[in-house]
Amino acid sequence: MAAPSYLTDEEPWTPVLLPNGRQEDLGLREVILRAHEIEDLALPLPPAATGLLRMLTAIAARVTGLDDPKMRAGEWSARRRELLQEQGRFDAAAVHAYFDQHIWDAFHPERPFLQAPRLAVQCKERAGVNKLVFGRPEGNNLAWLSPHTDTDPQPVPTDQALWHMLIHHYFGAAGQWSVRTVDGQRISQAKAGPLRSTLSFHPLGRTLYETLLAGLPKPAGNWPRAADHCPWEEPHLPDPLAVPPPVTWPGRLLTGRSRHAVLLIPAPDGRHVTDAYLTWATQEKLPAADPFLIHDVNPGKPITERHQPRRADADRALWRDLDALLLAGDENASVQRPEAFTTLNDLPPDLRAQLRVRVHGFDQDGKTDNRTWYTALTPPIWPWTQEHDPHMANWIATCRTEAETIGTLLEQVSKEAWRTITSPPTASGRTSRPPKRLPAWTKHARAAYWPRAETVFWDLLAHPDRDARAAFATQAVAVLRDITRPAVTQHFRAAHVLAQAVAELRRPPRGTPRRPA
């Protein structure tokens, strides 16, 4: 009987969106060959989509020659413009030549795609297919929203298994995994994946071809002078106990920083995955600034901790990150836009005017808990950047800042009003300690304010002559009155306390000159 096989460059495991809303499943080779026909990826799992976009971007750099570290910055930009304006598609001969020289079989006996074949010997226990698939309960966890149990694990189609494998490589959890024995050392502790709990921003062109070239980060002179390989390009299997090669551009930067090792166990026909090994891949740090993340900068911290990726938060509306993409920033800025966005001004003008941003987020904690993932798409925003329209970019930043200021103030006054009403003064005149848990009014106010603030934000972009702070304060006052209306009739001090809270929301900021009567 033939050994199971699943050629990821040929098998249709990658859903893509074609013109007129049509969807089709393609292998990696066809995705690159037909990138000029494809509008966007259509993977239903956003963290898998952002990982695959990084892989495809690295492949695009290989087949176009834009991965040459010896290119000067101007030469590199000119070559990219030429590819976008004159060629308009990836060269078929170069694509076939690249795919033909590497192994893409997910179940290859010696070099399975993105996997560690030695886990079958180094790990005594398998993790189980439920551990592989995000969302399935595994171990002793209760099956609240899924019928799957470890007593009757159901196979997963191979295409879906590959999606979840990508998520483990980029967003894998820290903590205890299967024991892996290497050279007599038994280790089960794994570090968090390189993108864990982060929010990725990808420039989105009119076609996938434009997306991959627009999102390719430029070469920089500070990358180590070492051979650059993607995992499927490595000449030898990595030694998990050795110091890994330095992060190089663009292959290892985009695809080679996984800290988890996976080995899929296929069904005899290769159409399903029935089990899996999951454990650590390296105990070493692989520091690098990912080019698709916004970084918050804290100059008061040590230089190694100064730049922190902005965390994904499903409760935070994505328009609140818009100014971080539009403002160019400087050495003293508290926020740095993604590195992949720094060369977008070199793109052809027609593409730049239509450029949108695809956002993929995975709301997680830093170790093991996964909350939810999400995706979003902005309108064409690049004409608003500081380089092209500084007035608009600064106005967007002002609106976002005022929305944040009023949102924070609304939480403060709602919390104080709740404490004042529900905790009357003692004999000494002091109120009791504030509750440790967030008051109900504050929770409701936060939930109701931000959707209204988003409507106000987009309206302000069309009316830059309005008072942004007053517009957001009006909505905050309306929210506070809505959520506290029942309390006015139940608590005799409520009306006075709420009047004070409303006055605080409407008060102009300190230092604002008073208008003459």
Side-chain angles (χ1 to χ4, degrees):
M1 185 176 180
S5 176
Y6 194 92
L7 302 177
T8 60
D9 64 323
E10 298 180 4
E11 296 285 353
W13 69 283
T14 306
V16 298
L17 184 65
L18 298 172
N20 301 322
R22 294 182 296 115
Q23 185 172 313
E24 190 173 343
D25 296 337
L26 304 174
L28 290 179
R29 189 185 301 246
E30 282 293 310
V31 170
I32 296 295
L33 286 171
R34 297 175 57 186
H36 58 286
E37 304 174 9
I38 298 170
E39 290 187 355
D40 197 4
L41 297 180
L43 271 72
L45 311 181
T50 195
L52 185 57
L53 269 173
R54 285 169 169 82
M55 284 177 48
L56 294 174
T57 300
I59 294 174
R62 296 288 194 246
V63 300
T64 57
L66 287 173
D67 62 337
D68 185 357
K70 297 180 181 179
M71 275 189 179
R72 296 188 298 272
E75 183 182 1
W76 186 87
S77 297
R79 171 60 178 160
R80 185 172 66 163
R81 281 196 303 271
E82 178 187 352
L83 289 167
L84 288 166
Q85 290 178 309
E86 299 178 12
Q87 187 165 319
R89 59 189 299 171
F90 293 113
D91 181 72
V95 173
H96 287 302
Y98 179 79
F99 278 94
D100 289 344
Q101 63 181 317
H102 300 297
I103 297 173
W104 304 93
D105 190 351
F107 305 131
H108 192 276
E110 298 177 0
R111 295 296 296 267
F113 181 63
L114 293 180
Q115 297 166 69
R118 293 176 293 191
L119 297 188
V121 176
Q122 295 172 343
C123 295
K124 290 185 177 180
E125 296 182 355
R126 298 177 179 179
V129 69
N130 291 345
K131 182 77 170 181
L132 171 71
V133 178
F134 283 79
R136 285 190 182 185
E138 46 86 18
N140 294 324
N141 294 321
L142 296 177
W144 294 108
L145 303 174
S146 173
H148 298 280
T149 65
D150 280 352
T151 58
D152 185 24
Q154 297 299 309
V156 60
T158 301
D159 56 350
Q160 297 180 28
L162 292 172
W163 304 343
H164 290 278
M165 181 178 69
L166 286 177
I167 301 176
H168 280 288
H169 280 310
Y170 285 97
F171 297 87
Q176 294 293 324
W177 290 75
S178 298
V179 175
R180 184 180 187 182
T181 305
V182 182
D183 294 340
Q185 298 190 42
R186 302 177 74 255
I187 304 175
S188 61
Q189 193 75 15
K191 308 297 183 182
L195 298 184
R196 185 164 185 85
S197 72
T198 61
L199 188 65
S200 294
F201 299 84
H202 297 271
L204 187 70
R206 295 161 294 190
T207 65
L208 182 61
Y209 176 79
E210 294 181 345
T211 296
L212 298 180
L213 292 184
L216 181 61
K218 67 178 179 180
N222 56 351
W223 291 110
R225 294 185 177 275
D228 177 59
H229 295 296
C230 297
W232 56 88
E233 300 170 346
E234 294 285 0
H236 307 289
L237 291 172
D239 180 356
L241 294 180
V243 177
V247 177
T248 49
W249 169 90
R252 289 198 179 99
L253 173 66
L254 298 178
T255 66
R257 295 192 294 130
S258 174
R259 308 180 81 177
H260 293 76
V262 183
L263 181 60
L264 305 178
I265 307 301
D269 61 357
R271 300 295 95 186
H272 290 79
V273 169
T274 60
D275 211 333
Y277 293 94
L278 291 166
T279 186
W280 59 276
T282 179
Q283 297 295 319
E284 301 290 334
K285 293 183 178 180
L286 300 170
D290 188 277
F292 300 107
L293 306 182
I294 292 175
H295 286 82
D296 294 307
V297 184
N298 187 344
K301 289 189 175 182
I303 191 169
T304 56
E305 303 175 3
R306 192 167 296 172
H307 294 72
Q308 293 296 325
R310 182 161 295 180
R311 295 179 65 90
D313 184 354
D315 293 332
R316 177 183 171 89
L318 291 170
W319 61 268
R320 296 165 68 182
D321 297 315
L322 193 59
D323 59 325
L325 302 177
L326 300 178
L327 297 177
D330 53 32
E331 294 181 356
N332 299 319
S334 61
V335 177
Q336 286 189 357
R337 66 164 57 148
E339 182 65 26
F341 284 65
T342 60
T343 61
L344 297 185
N345 291 319
D346 298 330
L347 296 175
D350 60 327
L351 170 57
R352 204 167 55 225
Q354 297 295 321
L355 208 61
R356 297 167 293 169
V357 179
R358 169 66 70 187
V359 186
H360 292 305
F362 196 176
D363 191 341
Q364 308 169 287
D365 73 352
K367 293 185 177 180
T368 59
D369 291 339
N370 302 319
R371 185 182 178 194
T372 187
W373 51 54
Y374 54 96
T375 187
L377 181 64
T378 73
I381 64 170
W382 210 245
W384 298 340
T385 56
Q386 191 171 15
E387 297 90 332
H388 296 95
D389 191 342
H391 176 75
M392 188 63 177
N394 289 323
W395 174 240
I396 289 174
T398 298
C399 292
R400 198 273 307 168
T401 301
E402 295 294 358
E404 300 278 0
T405 301
I406 295 298
T408 301
L409 185 59
L410 175 61
E411 292 190 18
Q412 292 173 352
V413 299
S414 62
K415 190 183 301 183
E416 182 64 24
W418 173 274
R419 186 170 69 91
T420 302
I421 292 175
T422 60
S423 304
T426 61
S428 61
R430 296 181 178 179
T431 57
S432 59
R433 290 184 178 181
K436 294 182 179 180
R437 299 179 64 181
L438 204 62
W441 282 0
T442 306
K443 291 180 181 179
H444 296 324
R446 178 188 295 173
Y449 169 74
W450 285 111
R452 293 193 184 195
E454 180 171 6
T455 302
V456 173
F457 173 80
W458 292 111
D459 184 63
L460 286 171
L461 298 194
H463 301 88
D465 55 333
R466 291 180 57 191
D467 185 338
R469 185 183 182 92
F472 289 114
T474 299
Q475 294 302 318
V477 169
V479 165
L480 186 63
R481 285 176 168 166
D482 286 345
I483 64 175
T484 59
R485 186 171 288 111
V488 174
T489 59
Q490 297 173 2
H491 299 275
F492 111 133
R493 301 177 60 225
H496 176 67
V497 171
L498 293 175
Q500 290 180 320
V502 168
E504 183 67 23
L505 287 171
R506 286 178 169 168
R507 183 173 299 143
R510 294 179 180 177
T512 302
R514 297 184 62 182
R515 294 181 180 180

